[in-house]
Amino acid sequence: MKGYKLMMASLLKYQDENGMWHQLIDDPQSWPETSCTGMFTFAFITGVKNGWLDEATYGPAARRAWLGLIGYIDEKNDIREVCEGTNKKNDRRYYLDRKRITGDMHGQAPVLWSATALIREPDAKASASASK
């Protein structure tokens, strides 16, 4: 839980004004990327609903993220701006030049996770253990 909260606090610092995170998390000049935004949105919503994250801080961030993310859904219900799979390389240009894919399951799935997190009831057991 300590690691999760530290990661969420770190990610909060890099969320842009439209609710998105970028291809390179700490590089605001890189492009907004939907698969990471979907995953982080899911993590924020789940944390708020289960009482792991402060609602006053993370609730508005989760809402901004969701509203930003759904703006990338096209008329076929496919999510745009999903980064193609990457290996690792010590080269900023390598990441900035990655292909932007529409409808890739690496992006579709986190959108669905986030949607289900929004409608899921909080886990009473998880909430109780978080307050200890």
Side-chain angles (χ1 to χ4, degrees), residues 33-71:
E33 203 277 337
T34 55
S35 65
C36 70
T37 297
M39 289 183 263
F40 304 153
T41 302
F42 170 79
F44 276 30
I45 294 167
T46 301
V48 169
K49 283 198 157 190
N50 288 316
W52 307 333
L53 298 175
D54 176 61
E55 185 174 355
T57 301
Y58 291 92
R63 178 178 170 72
R64 242 185 353 270
W66 174 251
L67 293 175
L69 185 62
I70 61 174

Side-chain angles (χ1 to χ4, degrees), residues 82-124:
V82 179
C83 178
E84 72 177 338
T86 58
N87 290 312
K88 59 182 181 178
K89 198 165 186 178
N90 192 17
D91 179 7
R92 180 177 181 269
R93 186 87 257 151
Y94 170 81
Y95 292 100
L96 295 177
D97 290 343
R98 302 308 297 160
K99 289 181 189 169
R100 302 175 192 201
I101 302 172
T102 297
D104 186 272
M105 289 302 146
H106 291 100
Q108 298 290 105
V111 173
L112 294 173
W113 301 339
S114 296
T116 60
L118 283 168
I119 60 174
R120 183 181 305 128
E121 292 296 320
D123 180 349

